[in-house]
Amino acid sequence: MGHSAAIWDYKAAMEISKDWNGIDHVLLRNPQGASARISLHGGQVISWKNDQGEELLFTSSKAIFKPPKAMRGGVPICFPQFGNAGSLEQHGFARNKLWAVDDDPPPLPPNDSVGKSLVDLLLKPSEEDLKFWPHRVSLAASGNLILISRVRNINGKPFSFSFAYHTYLSVSDISEVRIEGLETLDYLDNLHQRERFTEQGDALTFETEVDRIYLNSPNAIAVLDHERKRTYVIRKEGLPDIVVWNPWEKKSKSMVDFGDEEYKQMVCVDGAVIEKPITLKPGEEWTGRLEISAVPSSFCSENLENTGL
């Protein structure tokens, strides 16, 4: 690209275009050539590429890009409900609404603004449901993808919600993937009516369908893709739970917007708050932050807390 980060015009690194449904997409770029694409339908990150142009997020070849349905892949925002554990539609309504670019966002700490190409989005409240949801997507000079969501209750009564960044990571072969950082944690198994179990393995590997909510998880998790020699490091704040999901063969065949064999190329690892929903009193605000980096697989879990990733 020929630009140093010091003189890179981060505002100019944001481009807005329309998809074939007429919905605005925002493209973020960094000086090294990494990029992220966000659809204003759902405020959903639909692409994240490294400086080699390799796609790091999975999107199904059968994904339906037609509102109001959320697209299968990328990073949909599940809010104010995760799954079907509530009165709302599956995973809540935020991923099915049209978001707007926020031209006057509330301030964030300088380290979440300086040296990043970013876009601030806003899900505007309706009259009967007065709560604000500012959401920032940014791409660091390192190529890391950073998501920051805030929920502010401007209504006159308390408001409870669950939340998840439903992150579809692209992997070479799910049977060669392991997740480190979940050992000894309790989890709720969605395949057994959310019964509570304790993780027994040193790392989580995949041999069948997995649909779990790991509780009180550490702030850094590593997803190792042995074949690609790539490790995703997921670092989070305000998101105590981690959801891990792979539909495997049988469930894949039952989903109309998912290819029969595509379970081999993806795994969902979500920073989330599910077991103990957040309750905000009037005027209170909650912030959740997720940062994903893709690093060479010489990286291992002992380094997680020491690297600052």
Side-chain angles (χ1 to χ4, degrees):
M1 301 284 289
H3 293 275
S4 74
I7 60 170
W8 179 254
D9 184 347
Y10 282 95
K11 284 207 178 292
M14 184 185 92
E15 301 170 11
I16 299 180
S17 60
K18 290 191 184 294
D19 69 9
W20 51 89
N21 289 313
I23 292 170
D24 284 346
H25 281 193
V26 177
L27 176 66
L28 303 177
R29 293 177 292 118
N30 81 350
Q32 289 71 34
S35 67
R37 187 178 293 275
I38 306 99
S39 171
L40 293 196
H41 178 243
Q44 181 173 349
V45 179
I46 57 174
S47 172
W48 171 41
K49 294 181 180 179
N50 63 16
D51 55 12
Q52 305 296 309
E54 297 169 315
E55 181 58 63
L56 302 172
L57 298 177
F58 167 85
T59 298
S60 173
S61 64
K62 293 191 172 183
I64 299 165
F65 294 86
K66 195 164 180 65
K69 189 171 176 60
M71 186 200 76
R72 174 78 66 185
V75 190
I77 299 169
C78 302
F79 171 84
Q81 174 181 301
F82 182 81
N84 54 12
S87 59
L88 300 173
E89 59 205 273
Q90 170 91 355
H91 290 324
F93 53 72
R95 66 188 189 139
N96 297 325
K97 298 280 190 187
L98 204 57
W99 293 59
V101 174
D102 189 354
D103 295 321
D104 186 25
L108 276 168
N111 63 334
D112 278 318
S113 304
V114 177
K116 296 178 174 67
S117 39
L118 56 88
V119 62
D120 287 288
L121 304 177
L122 185 65
L123 184 56
K124 293 181 177 176
S126 56
E127 285 181 22
E128 73 278 3
D129 195 19
L130 288 174
K131 292 162 283 281
F132 269 123
W133 303 289
H135 174 59
R136 171 172 288 186
V137 181
S138 56
L139 188 68
S142 61
N144 292 3
L145 181 69
I146 303 161
L147 307 174
I148 304 171
S149 293
R150 287 175 288 177
V151 180
R152 181 157 43 99
N153 186 357
I154 57 171
N155 204 337
K157 55 189 178 185
F159 164 61
S160 295
F161 64 92
S162 300
F163 186 98
Y165 291 117
H166 195 27
T167 308
Y168 286 77
L169 297 174
S170 172
V171 299
S172 53
D173 180 354
I174 188 62
S175 63
E176 297 290 320
V177 168
R178 57 189 278 133
I179 302 179
E180 297 185 354
L182 303 175
E183 53 275 9
T184 75
L185 295 184
D186 283 0
Y187 64 88
L188 306 179
D189 194 331
N190 286 324
L191 303 178
H192 293 89
Q193 290 77 49
R194 287 202 173 180
E195 191 177 340
R196 194 178 186 115
F197 297 92
T198 300
E199 181 56 58
Q200 303 294 333
D202 291 336
L204 176 62
T205 55
F206 297 83
E207 298 172 347
T208 186
E209 182 181 357
V210 171
D211 190 354
R212 300 175 180 175
I213 304 166
Y214 286 85
L215 310 175
N216 298 313
S217 59
N219 285 335
I221 303 291
V223 182
L224 289 76
D225 184 343
H226 291 293
E227 198 168 302
R228 231 170 242 159
K229 296 184 172 57
R230 176 188 294 150
T231 295
Y232 296 103
V233 179
I234 297 170
R235 202 161 181 275
K236 58 191 178 63
E237 297 167 22
L239 301 162
D241 304 326
I242 283 277
V243 179
V244 180
W245 179 66
N246 181 284
W248 217 252
E249 193 170 7
K250 185 178 177 184
K251 183 155 191 181
S252 295
K253 290 178 177 174
S254 71
M255 294 189 289
V256 295
D257 60 347
F258 195 87
D260 291 356
E261 300 289 315
E262 287 185 329
Y263 70 92
K264 296 174 182 175
Q265 274 80 57
M266 57 72 67
V267 62
C268 282
V269 184
D270 310 353
V273 52
I274 297 170
E275 186 202 18
K276 297 172 182 171
I278 302 290
T279 298
L280 296 180
K281 295 172 186 167
E284 288 185 334
E285 183 172 297
W286 168 88
T287 301
R289 186 182 191 277
L290 188 78
E291 181 164 358
I292 317 172
S293 54
V295 297
S297 274
S298 50
F299 191 90
C300 65
S301 58
E302 285 106 51
N303 303 113
L304 279 179
E305 296 300 336
N306 303 326
T307 57
L309 283 168

